[in-house]
């Protein structure tokens, strides 16, 4: 009945593919989905742990990383329409991406790290998640709840429409969240934007890296970003960015999950060019005379 559905619901792809009137188009998207943990406050707001913050301990963040079965999320939650990532930026946009590998799914290692950090019995926390922004965002968060329960982290999900989500987790409400799921495509198509907006240091009001929702801070990252900002040699600049990404990776300051796929349902009466930034450009569409848009 329509010309284009963007994005198409993953649960409906079989129905669309088997239709005589429409087809499925898909491509890797540049958007990276990742986890933020509040490592800024001295006490975790939405938790049963008082007078301290488990997420300030690198071992807890690494435990969470090791507890995530990213291949299960890909195959079951995303129905194969995702690409697991070790970086906060798509490898399409960063030539040194092949140097990075995800920490492996390893529950034994995760439990050992939790015990070493003093959280053998785990803790409670609230996970904020949009339910209408990224592909299967609420379902991803639900999957994470089950995975983290296996290392004693008892997660309560707070899934809301994106307008309410952003009002809570950003500077508007002084980052009123202990843990959140976010997706980001760098508008500049450059890794420096990730360091500047998502992983640089900030204060409680957002001065600094405004969209660093968890407040993770390592001053060396800011230093490397500053050097990259004025470096004209491309190879040296990429190496500076890689050093900063390595710090984020090794400290699990933010935890990348995957790049989601662009998946559209398209009528047979339409020809269209898909963009990997998921922008819908009508000037790249052509409609047959009997398409829904004409009528």
């Amino acid at each position: 009945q329509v010309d284009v559905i963007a994005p198409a619901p993953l649960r409906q792809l079989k129905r669309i593919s088997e239709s005589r009137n429409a087809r499925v188009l898909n491509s890797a998207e540049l958007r990276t989905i990742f986890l933020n943990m509040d490592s800024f406050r001295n006490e975790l707001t939405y938790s049963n742990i008082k007078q301290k913050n488990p997420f300030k301990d690198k071992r807890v963040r690494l435990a969470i990383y090791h507890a995530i079965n990213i291949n299960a999320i890909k195959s079951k939650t995303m129905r194969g329409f995702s690409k697991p990532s070790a970086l906060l930026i798509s490898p399409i946009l960063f030539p040194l991406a092949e140097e990075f590998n995800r920490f492996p799914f390893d529950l034994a290692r995760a439990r050992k790290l939790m015990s070493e950090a003093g959280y053998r019995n785990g803790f409670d926390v609230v996970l904020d998640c949009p339910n209408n922004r990224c592909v299967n965002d609420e379902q991803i968060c639900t999957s994470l709840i089950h995975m983290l329960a296996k290392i004693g982290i008892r997660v309560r999900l707070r899934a809301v429409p994106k307008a309410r989500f952003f009002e809570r987790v950003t500077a508007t409400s002084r980052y009123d969240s202990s843990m959140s799921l976010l997706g980001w495509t760098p508008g500049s198509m450059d890794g420096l934007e990730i360091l500047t907006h998502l992983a640089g240091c900030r204060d409680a009001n957002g001065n600094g890296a405004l969209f660093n929702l968890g407040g993770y801070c390592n001053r060396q990252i800011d230093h490397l970003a500053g050097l990259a900002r004025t470096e004209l040699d491309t190879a040296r600049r990429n190496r500076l960015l890689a050093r900063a990404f390595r710090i984020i990776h090794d400290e699990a300051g933010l935890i990348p999950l995957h790049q989601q796929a662009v998946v559209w349902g398209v009528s047979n009466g339409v020809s269209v060019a898909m963009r990997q930034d998921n922008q819908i450009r009508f000037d790249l569409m052509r409609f047959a005379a009997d398409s829904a848009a004409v009528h």
Side-chain angles (χ1 to χ4, degrees), residues 3-17 23-31 77-83 133-136 259-266 272 274-280:
D3 287 300
V4 178
I5 298 176
L10 298 185
R11 65 182 181 277
Q12 296 289 351
L13 298 187
K14 184 175 184 293
R15 180 183 177 193
I16 295 171
S17 296
R23 64 198 188 279
V24 171
L25 298 182
N26 75 86
S27 176
E29 192 185 359
L30 301 177
R31 185 191 307 270
T77 308
M78 298 300 292
R79 301 173 187 246
F81 289 95
S82 66
K83 183 177 181 180
R133 182 172 184 260
C134 301
V135 178
N136 283 1
Q259 280 87 40
Q260 65 182 24
V262 183
V263 186
W264 292 0
V266 181
V272 59
M274 298 182 72
R275 291 171 54 98
Q276 289 183 301
D277 59 4
N278 206 16
Q279 289 189 15
I280 300 173

Side-chain angles (χ1 to χ4, degrees), residues 127-181:
L127 171 61
D128 288 295
C129 185
N131 59 15
N132 65 346
R133 182 172 184 260
C134 301
V135 178
N136 283 1
D137 39 17
E138 183 173 359
Q139 293 92 323
I140 293 169
C141 288
T142 300
S143 297
L144 292 172
I145 288 173
H146 296 302
M147 293 173 184
L148 296 185
K150 294 180 180 179
I151 61 170
I153 299 179
R154 299 169 294 276
V155 180
R156 179 168 67 86
L157 178 60
R158 184 161 51 196
V160 296
K162 59 185 178 182
R164 290 175 56 195
F165 170 81
F166 281 113
E167 182 178 9
R168 173 181 290 278
V169 303
T170 60
T172 303
S173 296
R174 294 172 63 87
Y175 305 99
D176 186 25
S177 175
S178 293
M179 194 176 190
S180 63
L181 184 85

Side-chain angles (χ1 to χ4, degrees), residues 19-20 27-28 44 55 58 63 69 105 109 118 136 138 146 156 164 167 174 188 201 216 229-230 241 247 281:
S19 168
R20 295 180 180 179
S27 176
L44 199 57
F55 292 147
K58 178 178 72 172
N69 187 341
F105 170 57
R109 176 63 176 156
N136 283 1
E138 183 173 359
H146 296 302
R156 179 168 67 86
R164 290 175 56 195
E167 182 178 9
R174 294 172 63 87
S188 63
C201 298
Y216 164 73
R229 192 168 292 112
T230 57
L241 297 178
I247 294 170
R281 291 277 299 274

Side-chain angles (χ1 to χ4, degrees), residues 107-126:
L107 285 177
R109 176 63 176 156
R111 289 168 180 149
K112 185 174 186 294
L113 286 165
M114 288 287 288
S115 180
E116 290 175 355
Y119 299 99
R120 181 186 298 273
N121 298 320
F123 56 88
D124 300 343
V125 70
V126 174

Side-chain angles (χ1 to χ4, degrees), residues 18 28 66 92 99 127 161 226 241 258 272 282:
E18 294 176 350
H66 281 293
I92 297 171
E99 297 182 1
L127 171 61
L241 297 178
H258 58 241
V272 59
F282 291 102

Side-chain angles (χ1 to χ4, degrees), residues 49-77:
I49 300 295
K50 303 303 177 186
Q51 298 183 338
K52 60 180 179 178
N53 181 347
F55 292 147
K56 279 186 171 290
D57 193 318
K58 178 178 72 172
R59 293 170 296 186
V60 174
R61 303 195 302 268
L62 286 169
I64 291 172
Y65 202 139
H66 281 293
I68 296 173
N69 187 341
I70 197 64
N71 289 324
I73 290 176
K74 176 181 179 177
S75 62
K76 297 179 181 179
T77 308

